[in-house]
Amino acid sequence: TYALLGLTYPNPVPLNYFCKAILKNPEMLKEYSVREYLISLIEKYKDDMKCGKLWLRFCFKLLSPDLIMLLEHIGGLKPVGCLEADEFFSFNKDGLILGERLIERNPHICKSEHTILKGTINAQLDKYCRHLTNVCMINCKSITPQRLNGADYDGDLIALIDEPTMMK
């Protein structure tokens, strides 16, 4: 119940008076109006799931090309980049995102639009790109943007999904 209401965090912020009352006194869960509220909340979640609104571990990020490759090109060097064809780089407030993730532009049924890439880090990315917390930088050596329903680098959002079921 506490997880459903978002009250399991170290310093939870109650959403409404019901949550505030439950935090003060867990016995409030036995009250009729609180139980009715919880049942209506669960019914809402069930109805949302029937329409395709699923709860997943993911975050939205701005799609970006390999910025190291861009800097090399601007500097007149041979553009090599720092990401391989099956890699991405992303950093958020919780830290570096490593390991396999499903990258999608929009949730689609078509398997060809599901792209699985591996999160990575190297010295160049750590030095120059670690401060980019709202960015998912992908390689420029593959057709990943084209697979993402024709995505480009002009502010497109992608979903970075960490769900084994979705990856399958």
Side-chain angles (χ1 to χ4, degrees):
T1 303
Y2 276 64
L4 176 71
L5 297 172
L7 301 176
T8 58
Y9 298 107
N11 294 315
V13 178
L15 298 173
N16 54 35
Y17 291 115
F18 290 118
C19 297
K20 194 179 278 190
I22 292 168
L23 276 177
K24 277 189 173 182
N25 183 5
E27 290 293 313
M28 287 298 294
L29 289 170
K30 296 177 182 175
E31 289 293 318
Y32 177 78
S33 58
V34 173
R35 285 195 327 256
E36 287 296 311
Y37 168 71
L38 292 172
I39 290 168
S40 70
L41 192 61
I42 291 169
E43 290 295 325
K44 177 187 171 294
Y45 287 148
K46 280 177 27 181
D47 291 341
D48 286 348
M49 288 180 188
K50 290 175 190 175
C51 295
K53 185 176 180 181
L54 303 175
W55 292 95
L56 302 172
R57 288 180 301 210
F58 83 102
C59 56
F60 282 112
K61 300 279 184 177
L62 291 169
L63 185 63
S64 168
D66 186 339
L67 296 176
I68 302 299
M69 184 182 278
L70 179 64
L71 290 172
E72 290 168 344
H73 174 71
I74 290 170
L77 303 171
K78 180 183 177 192
V80 177
C82 62
L83 293 170
E84 293 303 318
D86 63 343
E87 295 178 337
F88 75 92
F89 171 79
S90 190
F91 193 83
N92 62 22
K93 64 181 173 80
D94 298 327
L96 186 63
I97 299 175
L98 295 172
E100 286 190 338
R101 297 291 191 275
L102 178 62
I103 296 177
E104 292 190 358
R105 186 154 173 229
N106 295 308
H108 292 286
I109 296 171
C110 180
K111 188 177 180 185
S112 66
E113 295 181 17
H114 296 256
T115 305
I116 297 176
L117 299 177
K118 289 180 272 187
T120 190
I121 184 71
N122 59 42
Q124 289 178 318
L125 289 170
D126 193 40
K127 182 176 181 180
Y128 297 111
C129 302
R130 195 174 185 102
H131 66 285
L132 302 172
T133 58
N134 200 27
V135 170
C136 179
M137 188 185 316
I138 62 171
N139 61 77
C140 294
K141 301 173 186 174
S142 73
I143 59 167
T144 299
Q146 291 80 8
R147 287 188 66 192
L148 297 173
N149 199 18
D152 50 28
Y153 304 116
D154 64 353
D156 287 358
L157 286 175
I158 54 111
L160 198 58
I161 303 170
D162 182 19
E163 281 291 334
T165 305
M166 290 287 291
M167 285 189 234
K168 291 178 186 174

